[in-house]
Amino acid sequence: MSQALNTYTLRLADDLLILSHRLSEWCGHGPILEEDIALTNRALDHLGEARNLLTYAGQAIGKSEDELAYGRMERWYTNVKLVEQPNGDYAHTIVRSFLFDAYHLPLAEGLTRSTDAQLAAIAAKAVKEATYHLRHSSEWLVRFGDGTAESHQRAHAALADLWTFTGELFETDAVGDAMVKAGVAPEMAAIKAAWNNTVDTVLAQATLERPVDGFMATGGRKGLHTEHLGFILADMQHVTRAYPGASW
Amino acid sequence: MSTGPHTRDRIITILESVKDPEIPVISVRELGVLRDVGLAADGKVAVTITPTYTGCPAMDVMAADIKQALREAGITKVEVKQVLSPAWTTDWITEEGRNKLKAYGIAPPPHTADIRALKGCAPVVECPRCGSGNTAMLSAFGSTACKALWKCNDCLEPFDQFKCL
């Protein structure tokens, strides 16, 4: 496995691992039973995909999935900042997932045609799950946007807050370019086009206005994060740090 | 194929006792999770399984149960391998498996895991209790990763549906 493929695989894994952790924080706190179950189901799907990717990336560098998940500090995590943002109210959680799902589904579809057989196999499983995820977050966004004045306002506020984190999803750099060139990763422009299409369609249905692109946050892919990631990792890693090598 | 005291058929018969830990009426074979049984010249058995959902926590339990069932039958040299490709689909659940799901109170998945079913335009889902087609989905996410939550508008019972994948 080349260095670029390793970096690329870790990026895919980190997005899903961190979003999974955020969604799992809703366990036992969902607004209704069905949603509590839905979010934890989604967290499990994301975690499963992340585990496959971490295992794959780890094989090349002699590390286990656990060592990669529990042994890396913030600066070594390369997820986008969007997925580490706090849950906020339910509108924030749904909008965060919607903006990610609309990116994740076309990405997974593209990766099913990857020249890398293992990434293609992982994506082939993920793509069906991602279809359910996008449908779930889209339906709730429409319900909020086209619901009451308060739910509309909250969805609007969540979109305004999180929009600044969407630019990073489509960033390209030397690693991404090398992956596209090798036929490993799909073209980012095609994913952006699919994302735009989904976002515009669902926002129109939800009677929500698409925010205007302004300052876009960056840095996640280089290990530069918002302060929130440190708290997530502290929660996720404190047991393995307190009892290194413990197993049960 | 068969060298030593075990045959492939015997191993598959033994594995029939290994059930899905979360749906204990259906075997790993009927679920389509059991993909292959290989028998090496030295008598080592290689069992290949594939996950239903990516994050399915039952996979580790199934692998352990497979090893235990074979150990109890005197087969100790066992390797359980997980493969992702080709990706599992609900179409791999056998006909007998589908009937067992229904008898257990879980509506079997629509027959073809095609894009219509994934997008929610699935054929009518029949209530596994009264057989009525007058049913409605409550949530696409149910008690496990592979199930959705439905209710019957006629007998008013809620039920799980094995969702299309």
Side-chain angles (χ1 to χ4, degrees):
Chain A
M1 183 185 268
S2 68
Q3 178 71 46
L5 178 56
N6 201 260
T7 303
Y8 182 72
T9 306
L10 274 176
R11 288 175 180 180
L12 297 173
D14 288 348
D15 284 352
L16 292 157
L17 179 63
I18 299 303
L19 183 56
S20 167
H21 189 89
R22 273 295 186 224
L23 292 174
S24 75
E25 290 172 356
W26 275 103
C27 185
H29 302 279
I32 51 171
L33 183 61
E34 287 80 359
E35 279 310 289
D36 199 295
I37 294 169
L39 290 190
T40 43
N41 264 273
R42 298 184 49 142
L44 196 59
D45 288 346
H46 292 329
L47 182 64
E49 194 184 348
R51 286 185 59 186
N52 284 330
L53 292 163
L54 286 175
T55 301
Y56 183 44
Q59 277 164 0
I61 51 175
K63 291 206 182 292
S64 69
E65 51 172 324
D66 280 355
E67 285 174 307
L68 287 174
Y70 298 129
R72 286 181 300 150
M73 315 278 281
E74 292 134 274
R75 290 295 291 266
W76 300 345
Y77 265 82
T78 52
N79 56 281
V80 289
K81 291 176 174 175
L82 173 68
V83 295
E84 69 201 35
Q85 297 311 304
N87 285 336
D89 60 14
Y90 210 61
H92 269 79
T93 290
I94 289 295
V95 167
R96 186 187 59 204
S97 269
F98 170 72
L99 295 171
F100 183 80
D101 297 342
Y103 154 83
H104 184 220
L105 179 58
L107 175 67
E109 276 168 351
L111 282 170
T112 60
R113 293 182 291 277
S114 174
T115 51
D116 186 272
Q118 186 63 11
L119 285 187
I122 294 169
K125 287 216 68 68
V127 78
K128 299 190 206 175
E129 295 161 11
T131 308
Y132 278 109
H133 301 158
L134 179 58
R135 190 164 82 209
H136 173 255
S137 55
S138 298
E139 282 174 1
W140 274 99
L141 190 53
V142 170
R143 202 168 296 166
F144 288 148
D146 198 18
T148 65
E150 180 171 1
S151 71
H152 180 93
Q153 193 279 324
R154 286 188 184 222
H156 174 82
L159 265 178
D161 275 356
L162 294 169
W163 196 256
T164 185
F165 296 108
T166 58
E168 207 178 10
L169 291 168
F170 309 103
E171 279 178 1
T172 54
D173 63 2
V175 170
D177 291 344
M179 290 298 97
V180 171
K181 208 173 159 203
V184 170
E187 290 273 359
M188 218 26 127
I191 294 167
K192 179 79 195 271
W195 185 84
N196 273 331
N197 189 31
T198 305
V199 166
D200 288 343
T201 307
V202 175
L203 288 189
Q205 244 182 304
T207 70
L208 287 162
E209 213 170 299
R210 179 179 168 130
V212 178
D213 284 359
F215 170 77
M216 287 294 179
T218 183
R221 298 292 187 214
K222 295 193 186 78
L224 302 170
H225 294 279
T226 59
E227 66 176 309
H228 307 297
L229 183 66
F231 290 95
I232 294 176
L233 295 184
D235 191 17
M236 190 192 282
Q237 298 177 340
H238 74 274
V239 173
T240 46
R241 290 194 183 281
Y243 304 97
S247 66
W248 57 89
Chain B
M1 272 307 280
S2 76
T3 53
H6 325 301
T7 63
R8 196 169 177 276
D9 285 348
R10 174 161 174 258
I11 290 165
I12 290 173
T13 310
I14 294 166
L15 293 183
E16 204 54 37
S17 70
V18 180
K19 310 292 185 196
D20 180 328
E22 281 167 337
I23 315 169
V25 292
I26 183 168
S27 74
V28 289
R29 182 188 60 81
E30 290 163 330
L31 192 59
V33 160
L34 179 64
R35 300 313 300 159
D36 193 30
V37 173
L39 212 51
D42 62 358
K44 193 171 180 187
V45 175
V47 179
T48 306
I49 55 175
T50 189
T52 53
Y53 269 69
T54 309
C56 182
M59 288 311 288
D60 293 339
V61 180
M62 285 186 205
D65 288 352
I66 285 171
K67 282 187 179 166
Q68 195 186 340
L70 292 176
R71 195 164 47 236
E72 282 168 6
I75 304 169
T76 49
K77 283 193 276 183
V78 179
E79 186 194 7
V80 180
K81 284 189 293 191
Q82 268 197 45
V83 292
L84 292 176
S85 181
W88 182 87
T89 140
T90 35
D91 283 355
W92 290 355
I93 301 176
T94 64
E95 205 52 44
E96 44 194 322
R98 296 173 62 86
N99 291 335
K100 285 182 185 174
L101 282 178
K102 199 168 170 182
Y104 189 59
I106 299 171
H111 231 310
T112 317
D114 68 0
I115 200 70
R116 281 179 307 128
L118 277 173
K119 291 207 162 140
C121 325
V124 174
V125 172
E126 281 180 9
C127 169
R129 302 190 195 281
C130 73
S132 165
N134 181 18
T135 57
M137 186 168 72
L138 293 174
S139 171
F141 299 90
S143 56
T144 65
C146 55
K147 287 184 248 141
L149 198 58
W150 285 64
K151 68 166 179 175
C152 176
N153 291 327
D154 283 336
C155 73
L156 303 180
E157 286 290 326
F159 63 91
D160 272 337
Q161 182 226 12
F162 209 112
K163 64 189 189 196
C164 192
L165 197 71

